[in-house]
Amino acid sequence: MKKIETIIFTYNRAIMLDAVLESIFKNFYNKSDTINVIYQFSKKHEESYKILINKWSDRKVNFIRRKENIGFFKERLKYFLWPLNFLWFLKWKIMFKDKGNFKEILENIILKSKNNFITFVPDDQIFFKKTVVPDEGLNLLEKNHKSFFRFFTGIHFEDHHKLNKQMKVEHFNNKTTNFLRWNLKDKFADHSWKYNFTIEGTVYRKKDLEEFLKPFFYHNPITLEAIGLWEARFRGFFKLGMTSTQRTAAGFQLNNVQKLVINQCAYYDPDVLMKAYLDGYKLKIEKKDFPDKDFDVIPKEIKLLYPKTKKVVSYEQYLKHK
């Protein structure tokens, strides 16, 4: 089975990242030998990340903290040689103020990877089922450059992300994972079926990503995905898609810890969840929390497990007694 370089992005969600890592080690059969985590936190969340890093330090998880001391005029002016970056800086003016090295860290990991395939993992993406990206699909990625393979979509949704039956698809019956292939320019492809680029549950060919990411600027996972989508469309990247027929990983949308874009999510306080993690709790997430019919997974309730006693409490119960 071929390995896929696994790169996680996280900010102020140590308890969620802990659950993500557990799900990867349990269910992601293609995970790379070493998992890279690019992390940052506000001062308030520093202790929770110390606990997390200590817990996973002997499990081949490489934690890389983002720096915030890069000079704009010294390091960023070169990106204006790429005309589209004028548009992106005007759209995302906050990038003028950025002093971080997220882009440099990410592309250095990709450059040095010995694996031919890359996947990104946000810190709320749970691998809730056995996830195998079959060699047959990865071989097609090698053959058809600028394509991708996903495992966060499927043919079972009943909302606006459902598969349009008029869309032309090619089915592959594989002994490990059944999947299908489609062209994103199909006139019946809509919603997630026409997302050329996303940082969730998608595998890319390493060489394609290197070429794709190099010219445009982004300063965090949000602008990476938002700008990357339009760069892919403008430049003709990732026009051919593949997906497993059954979703095996999805975002568990507890909350939103950034203010750049509005996402559908629940509103469980990240500071309260941080306190629960410091108190020794972990999230209890189960397969049944991911209904087949819904693309977006927005939990109506969450459970916290105290491993030492195996006691399970609801978020509301924890709030009353914290």
Side-chain angles (χ1 to χ4, degrees):
M1 185 179 299
K2 296 182 179 181
K3 299 289 186 178
I4 299 170
E5 190 71 39
T6 308
I7 306 172
I8 302 175
F9 310 135
T10 182
Y11 175 75
N12 279 4
R13 293 201 284 203
I15 193 170
M16 191 72 232
L17 176 56
D18 193 35
V20 170
L21 284 166
E22 287 190 355
S23 76
I24 288 173
F25 276 84
K26 179 181 179 182
N27 286 326
F28 189 28
Y29 284 62
N30 302 86
K31 73 173 181 61
S32 47
D33 293 331
T34 298
I35 295 171
N36 287 289
V37 178
I38 305 175
Y39 74 100
Q40 187 54 285
F41 50 76
S42 61
K43 184 64 177 177
K44 186 186 295 186
H45 287 255
E46 182 174 2
E47 187 61 29
S48 63
Y49 274 85
K50 286 182 179 178
I51 292 171
L52 176 83
I53 292 169
N54 183 62
K55 174 180 177 179
W56 290 94
S57 60
D58 62 347
R59 297 288 299 275
K60 290 190 175 180
V61 180
N62 181 34
F63 289 89
I64 309 166
R65 186 176 178 182
R66 288 156 53 183
K67 295 180 180 179
E68 302 293 341
N69 60 356
I70 306 298
F72 180 86
F73 288 101
K74 182 179 179 181
E75 301 292 339
R76 302 289 189 251
L77 286 179
K78 61 185 177 183
Y79 291 111
F80 287 98
L81 296 174
W82 184 251
L84 283 174
N85 279 330
F86 286 93
L87 178 61
W88 309 139
F89 272 94
L90 287 174
K91 169 67 175 176
W92 303 93
K93 293 183 178 64
I94 193 172
M95 294 198 301
F96 281 110
K97 301 178 182 179
D98 177 63
K99 295 182 180 180
N101 63 339
F102 175 74
K103 176 178 171 70
E104 289 77 10
I105 293 173
L106 176 59
E107 293 180 26
N108 189 53
I109 293 171
I110 295 170
L111 178 66
K112 291 183 177 180
S113 174
K114 295 181 180 180
N115 297 304
N116 292 327
F117 307 98
I118 311 288
T119 192
F120 304 137
V121 183
D123 61 2
D124 63 353
Q125 181 183 301
I126 298 293
F127 292 74
F128 63 93
K129 286 183 181 179
K130 177 180 177 180
T131 301
V132 177
V133 181
D135 285 353
E136 183 180 7
L138 295 176
N139 290 338
L140 288 170
L141 276 188
E142 284 282 19
K143 183 178 180 181
N144 300 289
H145 296 177
K146 301 180 181 178
S147 56
F148 60 77
F149 190 105
R150 286 186 184 147
F151 42 82
F152 79 98
T153 46
I155 60 173
H156 43 74
F157 299 127
E158 297 177 11
D159 55 18
H160 52 282
H161 290 278
K162 66 182 179 181
L163 175 66
N164 189 323
K165 293 181 179 180
Q166 292 180 285
M167 196 172 75
K168 293 181 181 179
V169 299
E170 182 180 3
H171 289 271
F172 295 82
N173 294 319
N174 186 275
K175 63 180 181 180
T176 56
T177 304
N178 293 332
F179 64 98
L180 57 85
R181 180 167 60 176
W182 81 102
N183 192 312
L184 277 75
K185 288 195 171 183
D186 189 303
K187 65 180 181 180
F188 296 108
D190 57 7
H191 299 290
S192 56
W193 297 97
K194 63 177 181 181
Y195 291 174
N196 293 62
F197 181 77
T198 177
I199 62 171
E200 181 176 354
T202 303
V203 180
Y204 303 97
R205 182 172 168 264
K206 174 187 172 181
K207 291 181 179 179
D208 290 338
L209 268 186
E210 288 176 333
E211 178 186 352
F212 175 64
L213 295 176
K214 185 176 181 179
F216 72 91
F217 185 73
Y218 51 89
H219 79 303
N220 65 19
I222 303 301
T223 52
L224 166 60
E225 183 170 72
I227 295 171
L229 173 63
W230 288 103
E231 283 272 349
R233 289 175 175 174
F234 288 156
R235 293 161 58 195
F237 272 79
F238 313 126
K239 295 181 293 186
L240 193 64
M242 291 177 282
T243 179
S244 54
T245 57
Q246 296 292 312
R247 173 176 66 180
T248 59
F252 193 66
Q253 295 161 248
L254 286 176
N255 50 37
N256 194 345
V257 293
Q258 53 79 34
K259 299 179 181 179
L260 288 178
V261 297
I262 299 173
N263 293 326
Q264 285 190 309
C265 65
Y267 295 94
Y268 297 100
D269 190 329
D271 291 344
V272 172
L273 291 172
M274 174 203 68
K275 179 63 166 56
Y277 193 63
L278 293 177
D279 287 342
Y281 286 90
K282 58 190 287 188
L283 288 168
K284 181 177 175 59
I285 302 175
E286 303 173 282
K287 281 184 184 180
K288 64 181 181 180
D289 295 320
F290 299 86
D292 279 348
K293 63 184 182 67
D294 299 325
F295 180 83
D296 292 308
V297 180
I298 303 172
K300 294 180 180 179
E301 65 173 1
I302 58 173
K303 296 177 182 178
L304 297 165
L305 169 68
Y306 193 70
K308 291 182 179 179
T309 62
K310 296 185 179 180
K311 181 181 179 180
V312 177
V313 299
S314 69
Y315 176 86
E316 289 75 17
Q317 288 172 323
Y318 175 77
L319 276 177
K320 291 178 181 178
H321 295 97
K322 75 182 182 70

